[in-house]
Amino acid sequence: MTEQTREMEADLFGSKLRLETGRLAKQANGAVLASCGGTTVLATVVASGEKIEDDFLPLTINYQEKSYAAGKIPGGYFKREGRPSEKEILTSRLIDRPVRPLIPKGFCYPTQVIVTVMSADGKNATDVLSVIASSAALMVSDIPFAGPIAALTVGKVDGELIINPSPEQLESSTMEITVAGTSEAIVMVEGGAKEVSEAEVVKALMFAHEGIREIVSFENRFVEGLGKEKREVPVAETDDALCGEVRSLALPLLEKGLVADSKDGRKEFIKKIYEEISAKLIESHPEDKPTIDKAFDELIKDSVRRRIVDGTRPDGRDYITVRPISGEVGLLERTHGSALFTRGETQAIVVATLGSSHDEQRIDALEGDQTRSFMLHYNFPPYSVGETSNRLGPGRREIGHGALAARAITPVLPDKEEFPYTIRIVSEILESNGSSSMATVCGSSMSLMDAGVPISAPVAGIAMGLIKEGENFVVLSDILGDEDHLGDMDFKVAGTKSGITALQMDIKIAGITEAILTTALDQAKDARMHVLAKMDETITGPREELSEYAPRMLTIQLKPEKVKVVIGSGGKTIKKIVEETGAKIDIQDDGLVKIFSPDYEACKKAESYIKRIVEDIVAGKLYVGVVKRILDFGAIVELGPGKDGLLHISELENRRVANVTDILNENDEVLVKCLAVERDGRVRLSRKAALDQNIEDYRISD
């Protein structure tokens, strides 16, 4: 088939969206160059010609940023892009989540989508553009895909909803929600908000879907008449007679024990039934084990879903009941803040650590170098689900869950000016059976309060599920792992008593209506209030004092012209202060000095040192100085960096002194009193006027 080329442009939401295919990456199954303003991404998709034997979609999404896109050369020794950054991983997940459900089951060819950022103007977002480009590339390829899909970000500035707000608009926006969908339905939601109401979120999602329809319409016009013939997805052959045998043998046994208090109890029960019926059937159908296994799995799924619709969940709860919750704080003695949060069979221990500005994360991003003073890291070890695996660093799921929890907590953190600490939270999932990310949100809030961080309000999270059969649907509060796996929606909602701070939704089916969204959010609000009340039984608010092991902090505001004096030539002065006091010191160009140390006395000592360095010499005040030079008629005494005074020989003692060296030598410390500061800046000092004072009373530590 001859390669077809096309380029098309549309004005959408105040920007020009351009799509092009057929000129670049022609050996890929599909390739589309997408541009918006000065931002350009290339999306390519390739599917292997060889199927895999396993019955799943082997899809990989790789979003990659190139430094040249922003006119930069990578840092580091190798000067080339290395392992994926956190943003690259999160954007890969953002593309994957709406794309994966729309590739049909049975397409078992290894498939890879690679999106490369080739130009970035810093104004137009690369993530939503990458979703659109990926969709278009799949549409023009031979890979079956129930698209097109589109994505956009919705914000709210001055009470008005805005599609794809600029970076400047996002600074004052009360929400930043990325939505992806087809022309018929929303399929993915990811975002954060500043304690907004459920009604505002529903309105924003419906507003976003109208915008998505416009982009999808443009994509349809772009791909019309283009593309290769789609590969056929083989329909799996089923042995109806054998499946009927599986059902007739297993169903009566399953009915007795699909409901159990624990995940392990249900797992053991199902395993026992499987072993019993498979032993009977494999004896008469030795070649049909895969068919038996698949039929049994489908029976489990259908049975659980039917029971839920009929009113019985796998653990016996009704639709709205949240599993038992318990909490504990301060359980780790030497940490700054710690919390244990348990909800049913999901458990997280979450630790908060406070640091100085030196502990901020430095990020080399396309938009420029950035720093991050709040970090939340989520760890999901295999023992949390009773499994073993190689541990080679955090996976994409762990990074994604950590980012969701961080988004939920960020709106309640104190302003940097009020609480200029660097904050790191680490969540260790000890046990998991449904929504460990929301347990992380709850534990993070509690650990921050235990550390004494003045958050504006506690934050809790809850995961909602959906079972939809025809026009009937039920929304489930606090879903189990099985309900997530077998259900039609995973909707995580976090927030305070006042409103939503983060949400994430993945949908496996078409047809999620406004009514379903409204029901899910209202039900999630009730569940969140219940969880917040349970958290309140453990800790009601931030502790009045920081942990004794947390660093103490003092701030000093200097005149900007004094910054160089404190730093000293080559950093000599500030290094000396750090060495002598043991405190960490951060000085900003505007003159703000932050002093950190676990020892509050060290902070005070460093503060005193800095104040003496920058203070003006005042007549009548006593100072501890160092003799820098001996003269015939006296000595030059340094009172601080750039602050010298003359100590005349007549002011050494209450008697006549023949030689200065009879009393002082170079580098001696001496307590002196300032007699006068002349108009020309010269300082006159006296030692004899301070002889009745103890030098220890005037050292830096005071």
Side-chain angles (χ1 to χ4, degrees):
M1 179 177 179
T2 304
E3 192 72 34
Q4 296 173 288
T5 62
R6 179 171 293 171
E7 183 176 356
M8 192 175 288
E9 184 176 277
D11 288 314
L12 294 168
F13 321 118
S15 299
K16 289 187 181 296
L17 175 62
R18 299 184 301 278
L19 298 178
E20 176 189 344
T21 189
R23 184 164 65 100
L24 304 176
K26 290 181 284 187
Q27 294 192 43
N29 293 83
V32 167
L33 189 73
S35 300
C36 187
T39 296
T40 300
V41 302
L42 174 66
T44 63
V45 56
V46 174
S48 171
E50 300 293 329
K51 286 182 63 176
I52 63 168
E53 293 302 321
D54 291 324
D55 186 20
F56 76 96
L57 171 63
L59 173 67
T60 304
I61 307 283
N62 293 111
Y63 164 90
Q64 54 190 20
E65 295 183 339
K66 300 297 183 179
S67 294
Y68 60 69
K72 297 174 59 179
I73 294 175
Y77 180 79
F78 294 104
K79 295 297 178 184
R80 68 177 300 164
E81 291 81 7
R83 60 177 294 178
S85 67
E86 182 177 302
K87 182 192 173 185
E88 288 173 310
I89 290 171
L90 293 174
T91 306
S92 296
R93 284 173 53 85
L94 191 75
I95 301 168
D96 187 297
R97 286 160 48 205
V99 164
R100 187 176 294 272
L102 300 181
I103 297 177
K105 292 181 179 180
F107 188 80
C108 301
Y109 298 88
T111 303
Q112 185 174 42
V113 177
I114 297 178
V115 183
T116 305
V117 179
M118 311 199 83
S119 177
D121 62 8
K123 299 177 182 178
N124 294 282
T126 59
D127 50 3
V128 295
L129 186 62
S130 296
V131 174
I132 296 167
S134 300
S135 168
L138 284 162
M139 292 296 293
V140 301
S141 76
D142 63 342
I143 298 167
F145 179 62
I149 59 170
L152 53 77
T153 299
V154 60
K156 191 172 187 180
V157 180
D158 296 329
E160 181 182 354
L161 291 171
I162 300 172
I163 287 178
N164 293 337
S166 67
E168 293 75 23
Q169 289 173 319
L170 283 175
E171 290 181 5
S172 57
S173 178
T174 57
M175 64 174 69
E176 181 182 356
I177 303 175
T178 299
V179 186
T182 65
S183 59
E184 291 79 25
I186 292 170
V187 296
M188 189 277 297
V189 176
E190 176 86 45
K194 297 177 180 177
E195 298 180 274
V196 303
S197 69
E198 284 69 20
E200 286 180 273
V201 169
V202 171
K203 187 176 180 180
L205 294 181
M206 294 299 102
F207 177 74
H209 193 223
E210 289 301 314
I212 285 170
R213 287 194 176 107
E214 291 187 47
I215 303 173
V216 168
S217 175
F218 170 60
E219 280 189 69
N220 277 322
R221 295 196 302 274
F222 173 74
V223 302
E224 186 177 2
L226 283 180
K228 306 166 184 175
E229 184 178 347
K230 298 294 185 181
R231 300 187 199 183
E232 289 188 10
V233 180
V235 178
E237 295 183 4
T238 59
D239 185 332
D240 292 339
L242 181 56
C243 291
E245 285 188 66
V246 171
R247 175 173 288 272
S248 62
L249 287 172
L251 195 57
L253 301 174
L254 288 173
E255 293 294 324
K256 300 175 183 177
L258 275 178
V259 178
D261 291 337
S262 70
K263 179 173 71 172
D264 286 343
R266 290 188 296 276
K267 187 186 296 184
E268 285 300 316
F269 173 78
I270 292 171
K271 179 182 177 183
K272 183 179 178 181
I273 301 301
Y274 166 76
E275 290 174 348
E276 184 176 334
I277 69 152
S278 63
K280 292 179 181 178
L281 291 174
I282 290 174
E283 185 176 337
S284 56
H285 303 81
E287 303 298 324
D288 293 327
K289 185 177 184 302
T291 301
I292 294 169
D293 290 349
K294 186 172 182 180
F296 186 79
D297 289 342
E298 287 296 322
L299 178 61
I300 295 294
K301 179 179 178 179
D302 292 345
S303 298
V304 172
R305 288 174 62 91
R306 178 174 52 79
R307 278 176 167 269
I308 291 174
V309 172
D310 290 342
T312 305
R313 297 172 68 175
D315 60 354
R317 285 179 293 148
D318 59 27
Y319 300 143
I320 64 173
T321 298
V322 177
R323 288 171 289 173
I325 290 172
S326 64
E328 183 181 347
V329 293
L331 64 159
L332 302 177
E333 183 178 345
R334 290 302 297 264
T335 61
H336 300 164
S338 60
L340 179 67
F341 180 85
T342 305
R343 186 190 62 246
E345 293 174 298
T346 296
Q347 185 179 68
I349 190 166
V350 188
V351 180
T353 306
L354 306 180
S356 71
S357 53
H358 293 284
D359 298 309
E360 291 181 342
Q361 183 180 12
R362 269 70 176 177
I363 302 170
D364 182 14
L366 281 186
E367 299 80 10
D369 293 342
Q370 302 171 2
T371 59
R372 182 181 295 168
S373 59
F374 172 56
M375 297 158 279
L376 196 155
H377 298 143
Y378 165 102
N379 296 315
F380 192 88
Y383 64 74
S384 64
V385 287
E387 297 176 356
T388 63
S389 70
N390 292 327
R391 299 289 290 162
L392 300 175
R396 288 188 173 194
R397 179 178 178 276
E398 288 171 293
I399 290 172
H401 280 15
L404 173 61
R407 190 180 293 115
I409 294 293
T410 297
V412 303
L413 293 176
D415 292 336
K416 193 71 175 171
E417 292 73 21
E418 175 192 352
F419 192 78
Y421 285 91
T422 296
I423 303 171
R424 182 187 184 224
I425 295 174
V426 178
S427 173
E428 306 284 359
I429 303 304
L430 306 182
E431 187 180 358
S432 179
N433 183 17
S435 192
S436 54
S437 63
M438 295 297 95
T440 293
V441 170
C442 300
S444 296
S445 177
M446 294 164 67
S447 70
L448 286 170
M449 291 189 287
D450 183 51
V453 178
I455 61 173
S456 59
V459 183
I462 199 74
M464 311 298 293
L466 173 74
I467 302 293
K468 188 172 186 292
E469 296 289 346
E471 295 302 314
N472 298 322
F473 71 90
V474 292
V475 174
L476 311 176
S477 297
D478 183 23
I479 57 174
L480 302 168
D482 288 344
E483 292 170 332
D484 183 7
H485 175 66
L486 301 173
D488 300 321
M489 176 181 75
D490 177 16
F491 195 179
K492 299 180 177 73
V493 186
T496 66
K497 289 181 180 179
S498 300
I500 294 169
T501 59
L503 66 162
Q504 182 184 88
M505 180 172 69
D506 292 301
I507 299 168
K508 304 172 188 176
I509 59 170
I512 298 298
T513 63
E514 183 175 351
I516 293 175
L517 289 173
T518 300
T519 300
L521 283 167
D522 288 344
Q523 202 166 308
K525 180 180 180 180
D526 292 339
R528 187 172 80 246
M529 296 304 164
H530 171 77
V531 177
L532 285 168
K534 289 294 183 180
M535 291 165 56
D536 197 52
E537 293 175 6
T538 302
I539 184 167
T540 57
R543 299 196 188 282
E544 294 183 3
E545 297 290 336
L546 295 180
S547 162
E548 62 178 299
Y549 303 111
R552 264 46 186 177
M553 180 201 63
L554 291 173
T555 60
I556 312 171
Q557 183 63 57
L558 306 178
K559 295 178 180 178
E561 59 268 22
K562 296 288 187 180
V563 169
K564 291 183 179 179
V565 177
V566 176
I567 294 174
S569 177
K572 183 179 178 181
T573 304
I574 195 168
K575 287 177 183 176
K576 181 181 178 182
I577 301 172
V578 170
E579 288 173 1
E580 294 192 8
T581 65
K584 290 183 178 180
I585 301 173
D586 174 57
I587 303 181
Q588 299 178 7
D589 292 339
D590 62 0
L592 181 64
V593 181
K594 301 174 187 176
I595 306 170
F596 297 87
S597 175
D599 181 3
Y600 189 66
E601 290 304 313
C603 290
K604 294 294 290 182
K605 187 175 182 180
E607 178 190 42
S608 178
Y609 205 137
I610 292 170
K611 284 182 176 179
R612 291 196 180 191
I613 289 173
V614 300
E615 71 179 350
D616 295 325
I617 303 301
V618 178
K621 193 169 181 179
L622 277 70
Y623 300 91
V624 176
V626 178
V627 177
K628 304 304 291 183
R629 203 152 41 105
I630 299 294
L631 307 172
D632 291 340
F633 54 86
I636 301 298
V637 178
E638 183 184 59
L639 305 181
K643 298 176 183 177
D644 294 343
L646 174 64
L647 176 56
H648 194 269
I649 192 171
S650 63
E651 294 294 336
L652 288 176
E653 286 280 357
N654 290 320
R655 57 180 176 80
R656 184 179 181 279
V657 176
N659 298 299
V660 175
T661 52
D662 292 341
I663 306 298
L664 296 174
N665 290 294
E666 287 187 3
N667 297 321
D668 283 353
E669 274 194 330
V670 58
L671 181 64
V672 294
K673 184 176 184 178
C674 177
L675 297 178
V677 179
E678 307 294 351
R679 288 187 177 181
D680 59 4
R682 288 183 296 173
V683 177
R684 292 195 292 112
L685 305 172
S686 172
R687 177 177 176 272
K688 69 182 182 182
L691 288 175
D692 60 341
Q693 299 294 318
N694 184 352
I695 190 172
E696 297 299 330
D697 294 334
Y698 294 89
R699 291 190 184 277
I700 294 168
S701 58
D702 285 340

